[in-house]
Amino acid sequence: MDELALLEDLFLGTPRQGPGSPDTVRRALELCALDAASELQVADIGCGTGASTLQLAQILNASITAVDFLPRFLARLDATALDAGLASKIHTLCCSMGALPFAANSMDMLWSEGAIYNMGFASGVKAWHPFLKPGGLLVVSEITWSHSAPADELRAFWQRAYPEVDTAGNKIRVLEANGYSPIGYFLLPEECWTEHYYAPLAAEFEPFLKRHEDSEAASAIVAENRAEIALHEKYSGDFSYGMYIARKC
Ligand code: SAM
């Protein structure tokens, strides 16, 4: 099994594949102040198994295209949506976030939690801009320094892992430079990492290792995730995901 298939197998067991929570979805939606008179066209890009997609479908009068490039995540979302009576509102699409097939000016809202870093924040917000209707909303979460002086060890780690890591002020400037008017921002609170993401993930480590007979590749993935959790425990005051809400100008 290659590394991507192993990651897919590990994260299939978790309720979400990145930091977030039902509360922060609601908070972001409040900032959007959507007019729900007619059915909204929404895409959740890098949806994973769709924790937020399902919540959006419950709350909004919307047709939601849930995009991911891992087919087993989408199959899980299809099955959950069916069980929850939400299948008619959610359409899964197996596709790269860098090659979305949407028509220009067709989307009321593009939602993406913990995923845009795969393209890079600046490239992603630029590439997705044409798909939004004028006045359409972008809701995106992105790793963000909580203040301007994060610890040196942490800065070195993230600059190797994702050189675009930055402060909220600089992320907002990127949005403005790419045709968006920022309308809201908040940092995800601690429980989005601990209770909603890392605790369920850590509970999967042993069953995952057992399924893969402690293979070198599976052990390396667990070690990497344990190191990430330890780094977060040590420096949680210095960084989080920022949730950015912006309108297409
Ligand atoms: N949004 C979900 C959540 O918050 O639980 C998942 C976040 S997870 C950190 C990132 C997701 O992006 C994964 O499901 C992964 O498969 C997907 N992804 C990564 N690169 C992608 C790409 N190039 N195109 C489409 N999806 C991608």
Side-chain angles (χ1 to χ4, degrees):
M1 219 182 233
D2 66 20
E3 195 193 354
L4 200 54
L6 282 169
L7 283 168
E8 189 179 31
D9 182 61
L10 172 63
F11 283 95
L12 253 184
T14 61
R16 49 179 312 125
Q17 289 73 44
S21 76
D23 278 354
T24 52
V25 168
R26 275 190 291 274
R27 192 167 161 196
L29 279 177
E30 276 165 22
L31 288 165
C32 290
L34 288 160
D35 174 6
S38 58
E39 187 187 64
L40 300 168
Q41 296 302 312
V42 174
D44 183 358
I45 304 170
C47 61
T49 57
S52 296
T53 322
L54 291 156
Q55 192 182 351
L56 293 174
Q58 274 159 355
I59 296 173
L60 299 175
N61 173 19
S63 168
I64 305 177
T65 305
V67 180
D68 206 281
F69 72 169
L70 293 181
R72 290 174 72 199
F73 285 177
L74 295 176
R76 172 65 55 84
L77 172 54
D78 280 329
T80 322
L82 200 61
D83 287 349
L86 295 168
S88 64
K89 297 177 86 174
I90 296 174
H91 319 280
T92 54
L93 175 66
C94 192
C95 157
S96 165
M97 64 174 72
L100 296 170
F102 304 141
N105 303 314
S106 62
M107 290 286 164
D108 294 291
M109 180 164 69
L110 296 177
W111 187 280
S112 183
E113 285 183 69
I116 199 169
Y117 73 90
N118 290 291
M119 283 183 76
F121 187 78
S123 301
V125 301
K126 184 173 183 178
W128 299 348
H129 185 271
F131 304 131
L132 283 169
K133 295 176 183 173
L137 288 157
L138 177 73
V139 180
V140 65
S141 73
E142 162 83 340
I143 197 84
T144 298
W145 299 132
S146 314
H147 53 85
S148 58
D152 288 345
E153 182 192 14
L154 183 70
R155 191 186 280 276
F157 170 86
W158 276 110
Q159 275 171 357
R160 271 194 312 276
Y162 182 54
E164 277 188 64
V165 61
D166 215 329
T167 57
N170 286 336
K171 292 288 170 191
I172 287 169
R173 268 186 278 285
V174 171
L175 289 169
E176 288 172 332
N178 283 285
Y180 296 90
S181 173
I183 59 175
Y185 159 76
F186 59 89
L187 265 185
L188 297 193
E190 185 62 4
E191 67 271 14
C192 290
W193 294 84
T194 49
E195 176 189 342
H196 294 280
Y197 179 45
Y198 283 150
L201 174 60
E204 289 300 312
F205 289 157
E206 287 310 319
F208 170 74
L209 288 170
K210 204 167 169 192
R211 278 198 300 283
H212 298 285
E213 298 171 336
D214 293 306
S215 73
E216 201 176 314
S219 303
I221 286 175
V222 168
E224 211 173 285
N225 278 279
R226 285 197 167 122
E228 186 194 307
I229 293 172
L231 198 72
H232 178 262
E233 270 170 15
K234 190 167 172 191
Y235 294 118
S236 59
D238 282 0
F239 73 108
S240 185
Y241 265 80
M243 185 72 94
Y244 298 86
I245 297 104
R247 199 177 283 290
K248 179 174 174 173
C249 299

